[in-house]
Amino acid sequence: MDTSIPLPLLGGLAPDQFMRRHWQKKPLLVRAAVPGLRPLLGRTELFGLAARDDVESRLVQARGGRWQLRRGPLTRRALPPLSQPDWTLLVQGVDLHDDRAHALLQQFRFVPDARLDDLMISFATDGGGVGPHFDSYDVCLLQAEGRRRWRIGRQRDLTLHEGLPLKILANFEPEEEYLLEPGDMLYLPPRYAHDGIAEGECQTYSIGFRAPQRGELAQELLQRLADDARDSAGEALYRDAGHAPTATPGAIPAELVAFAREALAAALKDPGALERTLGEYLTEPKPQVWFEGGRAPRRLDSVVLDRRTRMMHDARHVFVNGESWRAAGADARLMRRLADRRALTAQDLAGASEGALELLRSWCEAGWLHENGG
Ligand code: SIN
Ligand code: CO
């Protein structure tokens, strides 16, 4: 993607400008971001997804002024009638289950895959909404059907109502109001307060982003690095030849503390290990994702990643679905191309080494990669 080309999706801004001016900083309202957008899934299809146990869904209702939340799977009978106002069905990760939703999410790949989360669809009857709140992550709210009135504000007071099943701001102070029509989009940076209320039957698509939390990331990486620590730190025993006798036997020797520090430093020394572990972690498939094994094609003409496959790269590795490979030279260039474009053409594959083709075939067998059009 040429990130200097203006996009209707960003209201005529190029991704370069959007990232500089708005990303993580300030909202952007885009009229006709996706001109002529029609819902990708009809409501019956959406209700079908909500009933599945490998799909995360929630039903939110405000009944008699009281907020209620019910977690899926939600059969059609668990949903209120369409004639009843004020309810919302939220279906998470639709891009994992539907190629059209996956394709829509691809338009946002001017943000790295490591930061792109999922496409959530919310269906609401008239008056439906999830209340005034803020999210921890950036979000693009794309109106797909009907209309939704958004009120938004910078909100200093982040106090929440107590005792509710949802995070609802106690003292929401909206500053701006927009009525979104199909195709319109509202970008909000993290922690920007918002409240969207459906005017008539309505579908809104939330393009969600993710950001690792520092402490959680440290815990995750350390846990993974711990598995390799025995090998990288070695088997040397602590030695204290010549140590003077102690009069304070309860005290831990300073040399032993230093030995522990060295052991840890040795386990963390290899920068490659950290990078590898990070890539494996970032490409780990979501918990509800299963791949059905595929057929390994004899000839590879052109290939496309499965919509559920997470693939990334760094200078020395390629990562696919939680696994890593060292790659260099032409093979690395080919694999990086696959990660960036999510597909390889016959031309790309023409000069591929036997090793690279073998790897691609094994990914086809795992169901991570498919023959394009096959
Ligand atoms: C919704 O679309 O109803 C909720 C999305 C959000 O506020 O983040
Ligand atoms: Co929100």
Side-chain angles (χ1 to χ4, degrees):
M1 180 187 290
D2 181 343
T3 57
S4 66
I5 297 176
L7 300 177
L9 183 70
L10 300 173
L13 294 181
D16 289 341
Q17 294 166 311
F18 171 76
M19 294 305 280
R20 208 167 44 239
R21 294 183 200 164
H22 293 274
W23 183 249
Q24 301 242 298
K25 292 186 189 135
K26 59 178 187 185
L28 177 67
L29 171 72
V30 181
R31 296 288 178 196
V34 183
L37 178 65
R38 307 211 357 103
L40 304 175
L41 285 82
R43 65 180 183 217
T44 311
E45 264 180 295
L46 193 63
F47 296 167
L49 277 183
R52 284 169 51 166
D53 55 14
D54 60 343
V55 177
E56 200 186 321
S57 61
R58 285 166 291 162
L59 172 66
V60 176
Q61 275 178 287
R63 299 184 80 178
R66 289 196 35 217
W67 289 99
Q68 292 180 352
L69 168 72
R70 181 166 170 188
R71 293 187 185 279
L74 298 155
T75 61
R76 180 64 190 88
R77 287 174 56 196
L79 302 176
L82 289 166
S83 56
Q84 183 178 309
D86 301 344
W87 62 272
T88 294
L89 170 72
L90 303 157
V91 183
Q92 209 79 46
V94 179
D95 52 295
L96 297 173
H97 303 282
D98 186 275
D99 277 332
R100 297 158 296 180
H102 173 74
L104 178 66
L105 197 60
Q106 303 311 293
Q107 293 194 39
F108 294 83
R109 290 184 80 219
F110 51 85
V111 176
D113 289 342
R115 292 278 276 116
L116 197 53
D117 191 9
D118 75 337
L119 184 89
M120 178 185 84
I121 299 187
S122 86
F123 169 89
T125 55
D126 186 41
V130 300
H133 67 282
F134 62 89
D135 299 302
S136 310
Y137 307 113
D138 311 76
V139 65
C140 288
L141 299 156
L142 175 63
Q143 192 59 24
E145 185 174 42
R147 304 195 296 180
R148 186 184 289 272
R149 186 173 299 277
W150 288 101
R151 292 183 305 147
I152 65 172
R154 280 165 296 179
Q155 192 76 28
R156 296 281 165 260
D157 176 0
L158 298 180
T159 315
L160 300 177
H161 269 296
E162 276 178 35
L164 296 185
L166 273 76
K167 288 186 174 164
I168 307 267
L169 284 164
N171 309 302
F172 180 44
E173 293 167 39
E175 296 168 315
E176 282 155 282
E177 182 173 314
Y178 306 108
L179 182 65
L180 267 70
E181 308 265 353
D184 295 348
M185 187 175 82
L186 180 61
Y187 161 76
L188 296 177
R191 300 175 87 78
Y192 216 91
H194 52 287
D195 185 18
I197 297 181
E199 300 200 349
E201 199 175 297
C202 153
Q203 277 197 44
T204 305
Y205 294 176
S206 293
I207 293 89
F209 298 88
R210 62 177 191 167
Q213 199 202 341
R214 211 147 79 136
E216 247 172 50
L217 187 62
Q219 181 192 26
E220 185 64 45
L221 297 182
L222 284 171
Q223 248 159 21
R224 287 165 181 257
L225 286 168
D227 296 338
D228 305 334
R230 187 176 286 264
D231 299 335
S232 48
E235 299 200 337
L237 278 185
Y238 171 64
R239 293 169 57 99
D240 51 4
H243 201 286
T246 182
T248 53
I252 296 171
E255 296 83 348
L256 185 45
V257 177
F259 182 76
R261 188 166 289 125
E262 277 162 32
L264 257 191
L268 297 174
K269 189 176 66 193
D270 176 10
L274 173 73
E275 286 156 17
R276 179 174 48 74
T277 307
L278 177 63
E280 290 175 0
Y281 168 59
L282 290 173
T283 57
E284 201 67 68
K286 298 220 167 150
Q288 66 275 28
V289 166
W290 292 99
F291 289 95
E292 301 89 41
R295 193 170 52 84
R298 290 238 313 267
R299 271 175 48 84
L300 283 176
D301 283 332
S302 58
V303 290
V304 59
L305 288 178
D306 184 90
R307 62 174 178 263
R308 291 160 299 184
T309 287
R310 297 184 71 89
M311 182 170 187
M312 297 176 200
H313 56 82
D314 68 14
R316 274 179 291 194
H317 307 89
V318 292
F319 307 99
V320 189
N321 294 331
E323 294 190 26
S324 58
W325 286 266
R326 292 284 295 227
D331 283 354
R333 279 194 296 280
L334 184 77
M335 294 305 178
R336 282 188 216 130
R337 194 178 177 86
L338 176 58
D340 291 336
R341 307 199 168 185
R342 297 190 65 85
L344 292 173
T345 62
Q347 204 183 357
D348 296 330
L349 287 167
S353 73
E354 197 39 54
L357 290 173
E358 201 44 56
L359 192 54
L360 294 174
R361 273 190 214 105
S362 73
W363 294 348
C364 286
E365 245 175 301
W368 296 354
L369 183 74
H370 307 290
E371 277 179 284
N372 210 351

